[in-house]
Amino acid sequence: LARHTHPKGLTYSAAPPTPLLRSLTTKVYIGTLRTMAAFMAGAVSATATTMGMRSMCGPHRSASLSSSRKVLFAFAQRDASLRTPRRRAMVTTSASTGESTDTTAETTSTTSLAKKIVVVGGGNSAGYFARAVVAAGRGADLCIVAGENVLPYERPALSKAFLHKESPARLPGFHTSVGGGGERQTQEWYDANGVEVMLSTRVTAADLANKTLTTDTGAHITYDKLVVATGCSALKLPAAMGGALPGVHYVRDNADALALYDAMGSAKKAVVIGGGYIGLECAASLATWGLNPNVVLMEPHTMARLWTPEIAAKYEAVYESKGTVFHRATKVVKIVEKDGKACGVEIEGGVVLEADIVVVGVGAGVPTAPFDILDTTPEKFPGGIKVDATFAASGSGVEPQSVYAIGDIAAFPLSSDGDKLVRMEHVAHARASATHAAAAVMDSANAAAYQYLPFFYSRVFEHGGSERKVSWVFYGLQGGNEVVVVGDFA
């Protein structure tokens, strides 16, 4: 191992390249020099090995960019340590199927509930928000209203380990906050900590001026503080194109992933539409199942918003070595139907790619209903609910600091980029924004400005027996004309 010390105090170790390791990228870019400088200013001493890294800085969290287990560099970010959380819920979950059985009496369907803090949404952010509230000893003040029939969980697992052919991940194994190093927040956890959780329940109306919510069960919920954590929705192809046919799959929640996994068991041929996170993660699983997926993408290369063409080429080569076929810069004409279900995908030029399973990963939408009275940002630029640096939202007739938005749905000022409003669709932000907002919600004196370095990470081909586990980690935003190269592709 060669040991190096960066002028900023960063210490890291890296193994010299070997022929086995050279086939994957050793190139990293951070979009703007300003973002890079902001990151370096927060770097602290860390050490890394070829199998991962261990922080040398107590409560700080370390991170690395690795390729086939080869750590290219490692940084550690300051991260406030959290105390251990607790719990309350109304559902039991099958470890074998991931399905849940509602054990809650219908007492809330026609009644009213008053809570000091109400979170709408049951994803990553909701779970980590609960963790922070419980750590402060205020679990009994909290109610979570979740549309799914399962407790908050680590959503990234759905397109990764959940789809492994052997020993797939299933709930309750990946409930929050195990992904962030915390306790698994099972039903017993919520119960023990007095947190009220309303599963399979959706908020249909919101009177934010009078701090009252109405659910699809007919319940009325009043609050002192409201936190919107509803996340994004998977964009779907139009029904006229075949986007709603049986055999077409979108991956957004636990039920979606279960349906896809079941379909993979009997599938013979697969097509993936989209070359982003969901597309590549699902394509990796399909490839390991021996389905040799065709991946259709409109862009000239995969992960076009994050990777350079050179980086993309290295990762695409790994996929191709496992039977994946890419159709780049190609548009989908329609999904072909036979006997009432999908049997293929027609791409421009009249070519039909046969498939009995089609996975669509073409991006996410940011629905804000029924909270449309809140100030929002222009759709796609960046979309979502506009918040300040403490995640407080605003709107006509809305009491200041009474409504907050966290996670994917929040458009917040990014301090490292001149307070430009951005949305971050990544689990790191979901966790961090929840923890940060919780402090402000519980005590306005703790309403500090959010400091966040954009972080993009994934890992694929981690199934049992894999010869090469692949991951990528990027910091900062893609932008400007600067490309910083670390290492080479030789």
Side-chain angles (χ1 to χ4, degrees), residues 412-425:
F412 66 94
L414 185 63
S415 60
S416 61
D417 197 24
D419 287 337
K420 175 184 177 182
L421 285 177
V422 298
R423 281 193 317 103
M424 291 288 141
E425 297 175 8

Side-chain angles (χ1 to χ4, degrees), residues 140-413:
D141 290 340
L142 179 62
C143 172
I144 298 175
V145 183
E148 289 188 68
N149 67 343
V150 291
L151 296 165
Y153 57 89
E154 306 282 359
R155 199 176 296 275
L158 298 180
S159 51
K160 300 184 184 73
F162 198 101
L163 301 179
H164 288 177
K165 191 170 186 178
E166 303 294 335
S167 301
R170 289 293 182 270
L171 293 173
F174 56 97
H175 281 304
T176 55
S177 299
V178 294
E183 190 175 347
R184 181 178 292 108
Q185 295 163 208
T186 60
Q187 180 175 339
E188 293 72 28
W189 186 91
Y190 288 95
D191 287 339
N193 291 286
V195 179
E196 187 79 19
V197 183
M198 303 172 66
L199 299 179
S200 301
T201 304
R202 298 185 182 278
V203 172
T204 56
D207 182 351
L208 303 185
N210 293 304
K211 298 184 178 181
T212 303
L213 307 174
T214 302
T215 73
D216 56 359
T217 66
H220 299 287
I221 305 172
T222 59
Y223 60 85
D224 290 337
K225 304 282 188 178
L226 171 66
V227 180
V228 181
T230 48
C232 294
S233 61
L235 292 179
K236 297 186 177 182
L237 298 180
M241 288 181 60
L245 286 171
V248 178
H249 295 266
Y250 305 87
V251 183
R252 181 59 191 169
D253 58 31
N254 186 66
D256 292 338
L258 282 171
L260 174 58
Y261 182 88
D262 289 344
M264 289 167 64
S266 58
K268 298 294 187 290
K269 296 182 179 180
V271 171
V272 175
I273 300 175
Y277 272 102
I278 295 296
L280 286 184
E281 289 168 0
C282 290
S285 292
L286 292 165
T288 62
W289 282 59
L291 295 176
N292 299 332
N294 284 281
V295 178
V296 182
L297 57 151
M298 294 179 60
E299 299 80 12
H301 61 79
T302 53
M303 298 289 287
R305 291 189 295 174
L306 183 64
W307 293 349
T308 64
E310 295 83 0
I311 291 175
K314 293 297 179 180
Y315 282 98
E316 288 170 11
V318 175
Y319 276 79
E320 289 168 338
S321 72
K322 299 178 183 297
T324 302
V325 178
F326 290 101
H327 302 266
R328 304 172 184 85
T330 301
K331 293 182 179 179
V332 171
V333 175
K334 66 178 180 181
I335 297 176
V336 182
E337 176 185 358
K338 182 179 180 181
D339 298 329
K341 58 184 179 180
C343 68
V345 174
E346 181 182 344
I347 58 178
E348 55 187 359
V351 176
V352 175
L353 307 174
E354 295 183 5
D356 43 19
I357 184 173
V358 178
V359 180
V360 180
V362 292
V366 198
T368 57
F371 308 103
D372 297 321
I373 195 174
L374 295 174
D375 294 336
T376 58
T377 60
E379 186 178 359
K380 296 183 180 180
F381 301 104
I385 296 173
K386 181 181 179 180
V387 298
D388 66 15
T390 69
F391 293 97
S394 56
S396 177
V398 179
E399 178 185 311
Q401 297 181 326
S402 66
V403 181
Y404 293 75
I406 59 177
D408 292 0
I409 199 170
F412 66 94

